[in-house]
Amino acid sequence: MSARFVAAIDQGTTSTRCILFDPAGAPAASAQKEHRQIFPRPGWVEHDALEIWANVEAVVADALAKAGATSADIAAVGITNQRETTVIWEKASGRPIAGAIVWQDTRTDRLVAELGGKIGQDRFRAQCGLPLATYFSGPKARWLLDNIDGARAAAERGELLFGTMDSWLIWKLTGAHVTDVTNASRTMLMNLATLDWDDQLLDAIGVPRAMLPTIRPSAEVYGTATGALAGVPVASALGDQQAALFGQTCFTPGEGKCTYGTGNFLLVNTGERPVASRNGLLTTLGYQVAGRPAVYALEGSIAVTGSLVQWVRDNLGLIASAAEIEPLARSVADNGGCYFVPAFAGLFAPYWRSDARGVIAGLTGYITKGHIARAVLEAVAWQTREVVDAMAADSGEALTALKVDGGMTANTLLMQFQADVLGVPVVRPVVPETTALGAAYAAGLAVGFWPDLETLRAQWKQDAEWRPAMDGAVREREYRQWKKAVERTLGWVD
């Protein structure tokens, strides 16, 4: 193959990137652009899908220019995306009917409670692997159909199209209305066993089949791109966390990773059969390579981690840039008894409590902004500890090491504290942004740029490791204090 690179479009919650990867899996060029976070009401979070598409076009062109490349140099392009964020657009015009409802948005809280009825949040878990929560796409689509004039009738006539961001971008690139199994598994509308839309779920949640994309494997050619990538096969789609699982080459059951981004997401490969969780985790799809069985995963999802640092920067003004959180936190020896539970959109795993709201607990006159900064970083680690504990309870096996990736892994204070509170080593790969790498790997695999999974696994290299140094008694005492702070968040919303 004469092409030099595989491209990945990484459409995230706060920004969009394009990264070109060479045959060794190393990034050769990248470009990134932020998009607006729109907050029309308390608890509502929206994105402008047209703004995101314009940003995609810009970062693709910029990355190609930086590499001195044209579309002829690109073997394939893969897409990874913020998963549950929901877009509905007109089939004829391509115009979204409203702002995209972001995964963090909680406007569907009453609808979710109504759907649960007397059974509660586990009403649909057997079919789709998910608890009823504001997090997922199906209720968001229902809300749009119920609240935009004429939307439901238009959807039933096949005039509207639904999608998560992967579907929106693939449609804009190729005209194909498709999604992959990983993104479909986040809607509450796909049956885990059949890997198809489930008519009972569609009827119960209230989403017409006519507006839904076709579900395809994660690594497969969906069509040919236009624009700056003219002629390039669009050959993968994975939700961002599943893309990171793929990029970390977790191809064997029991292997897993934790991504530190806007939120934190711990996924563990469970093999070719779904595993039901009894401890607040999600049963989801890991990935599917065309022609092979789907691979499932257990997931622990944490809503607010990296976005908490952004909030401290933008809403409180305690820091001017995200990188300043670490030196500010290092300016004090400990948290001073201060704990920050960022339940801004309720609590996700392992609680699934939409009635929770954020608290800062343990405040005294002694507390400075350094203590608050430290509590922010510790909140990331403690929330991850809770999910690791749930994963161990479901699997019956204790964690021996944690593979990590994402932007926050550059924070060495956080990574050391994470190792301390878990009591196991924390390991970062040479390419920390494995979300984009996973999308590139899947796309390259689909077109033969890389021959097989073992070739990809051989490219994984360790960059850094942090080993636990905290006394066990101190660890458990601090964990009990964290749990007390979490209890204070519950039941805040009536």
Side-chain angles (χ1 to χ4, degrees):
M1 184 174 289
S2 59
R4 297 187 289 151
F5 308 113
V6 173
I9 296 170
D10 181 358
Q11 202 299 290
T13 305
T14 59
S15 68
T16 301
R17 298 182 303 165
C18 179
I19 303 180
L20 307 186
F21 291 93
D22 68 18
S30 67
Q32 183 170 3
K33 192 169 186 179
E34 290 191 1
H35 55 266
R36 291 174 297 147
Q37 307 297 307
I38 304 165
F39 303 100
R41 300 184 189 179
W44 290 29
V45 191
E46 296 182 359
H47 292 158
D48 181 338
L50 291 174
E51 177 190 6
I52 286 174
W53 169 243
N55 288 356
V56 168
E57 292 185 299
V59 296
V60 166
D62 194 8
L64 289 173
K66 288 179 177 178
T70 69
S71 60
D73 295 304
I74 309 301
V77 58
I79 293 171
T80 180
N81 57 290
Q82 48 169 328
R83 297 174 296 179
E84 297 79 11
T85 297
T86 298
V87 190
I88 296 178
W89 66 95
E90 295 172 348
K91 184 176 182 179
S93 71
R95 289 193 300 267
I97 66 170
I101 302 181
V102 179
W103 58 273
Q104 300 156 314
D105 187 287
T106 60
R107 76 184 67 182
T108 57
D109 52 356
R110 291 184 180 178
L111 172 60
V112 162
E114 291 171 9
L115 289 171
K118 295 181 179 179
I119 299 173
Q121 68 177 194
D122 289 334
R123 178 183 174 188
F124 305 126
R125 190 187 281 268
Q127 296 108 301
C128 68
L130 308 174
L132 268 162
T134 59
Y135 185 20
F136 302 111
S137 307
K140 297 180 193 298
R142 160 76 179 273
W143 190 94
L144 287 168
L145 295 178
D146 288 349
N147 288 276
I148 304 297
D149 286 344
R152 179 165 295 281
E156 291 172 349
R157 292 193 300 267
E159 296 171 2
L160 298 182
L161 301 180
F162 157 89
T164 43
M165 280 294 171
D166 61 308
S167 293
W168 168 244
L169 297 184
I170 294 169
W171 189 79
K172 294 293 284 185
L173 285 165
T174 71
H177 188 214
V178 301
T179 189
D180 91 300
V181 293
T182 68
N183 282 292
S185 75
R186 315 301 293 191
T187 61
M188 302 201 77
L189 305 176
M190 188 190 82
N191 188 296
L192 284 175
T194 65
L195 304 184
D196 196 5
W197 306 118
D198 185 293
D199 288 328
Q200 289 185 334
L201 294 174
L202 297 180
D203 290 344
I205 295 175
V207 177
R209 183 182 276 267
M211 70 188 304
L212 299 178
T214 302
I215 302 173
R216 304 277 287 274
S218 312
E220 181 180 276
V221 176
Y222 309 128
T224 302
T226 56
L229 292 171
V232 176
V234 179
S236 79
L238 294 121
D240 51 10
Q241 304 313 318
Q242 286 89 343
L245 188 76
F246 206 84
Q248 287 272 34
T249 67
C250 297
F251 303 139
T252 301
E255 294 182 330
K257 64 86 204 179
C258 188
T259 297
Y260 294 70
T262 301
N264 268 30
F265 301 87
L266 177 66
L267 271 75
V268 172
N269 180 328
T270 61
E272 295 178 6
R273 288 186 296 178
V275 174
S277 173
R278 300 176 302 280
N279 294 280
L281 303 179
L282 309 178
T283 303
T284 193
L285 268 293
Y287 59 87
Q288 184 182 22
V289 176
R292 302 183 190 182
V295 171
Y296 294 84
L298 278 173
E299 174 177 336
S301 309
I302 303 166
V304 179
T305 57
S307 59
L308 179 56
V309 176
Q310 187 180 42
W311 184 84
V312 168
R313 180 194 69 189
D314 297 343
N315 291 41
L316 297 188
L318 293 185
I319 52 176
S321 68
E324 292 179 13
I325 194 79
E326 182 171 3
L328 182 57
R330 286 189 183 277
S331 69
V332 293
D334 54 38
N335 65 14
C338 174
Y339 297 83
F340 196 148
V341 186
F344 295 164
L347 289 172
F348 285 10
Y351 299 99
W352 298 107
R353 294 286 296 265
S354 62
D355 62 338
R357 286 298 179 268
V359 302
I360 305 176
L363 291 178
T364 65
Y366 171 73
I367 297 301
T368 68
K369 62 181 181 179
H371 295 109
I372 292 175
R374 197 168 187 104
V376 164
L377 296 182
E378 291 183 359
V380 176
W382 288 125
Q383 290 182 100
T384 304
R385 161 75 186 267
E386 291 184 306
V387 169
V388 167
D389 285 356
M391 197 73 74
D394 270 342
S395 67
E397 296 183 8
L399 188 74
T400 58
L402 183 66
K403 279 185 174 181
V404 299
D405 55 72
M408 290 192 82
T409 63
N411 189 311
T412 58
L413 177 62
L414 170 60
M415 291 297 98
Q416 181 59 55
F417 191 75
Q418 187 70 84
D420 287 343
V421 303
L422 292 178
V424 300
V426 169
V427 183
R428 185 180 69 197
V430 169
V431 180
E433 297 297 349
T434 51
T435 300
L437 180 60
Y441 274 170
L445 197 67
V447 299
F449 190 80
W450 291 291
D452 50 40
L453 296 178
E454 289 309 310
T455 299
L456 302 180
R457 187 191 295 277
Q459 293 187 167
W460 189 95
K461 298 290 188 298
Q462 178 178 311
D463 174 56
E465 180 180 74
W466 293 267
R467 292 187 169 274
M470 183 182 288
D471 178 78
V474 174
R475 177 190 307 127
E476 296 313 309
R477 183 188 71 224
E478 291 295 303
Y479 194 29
R480 286 193 299 272
Q481 291 296 105
W482 165 260
K483 289 284 195 180
K484 285 170 63 177
V486 171
E487 289 172 9
R488 305 304 194 269
T489 73
L490 303 178
W492 188 264
V493 178
D494 293 329

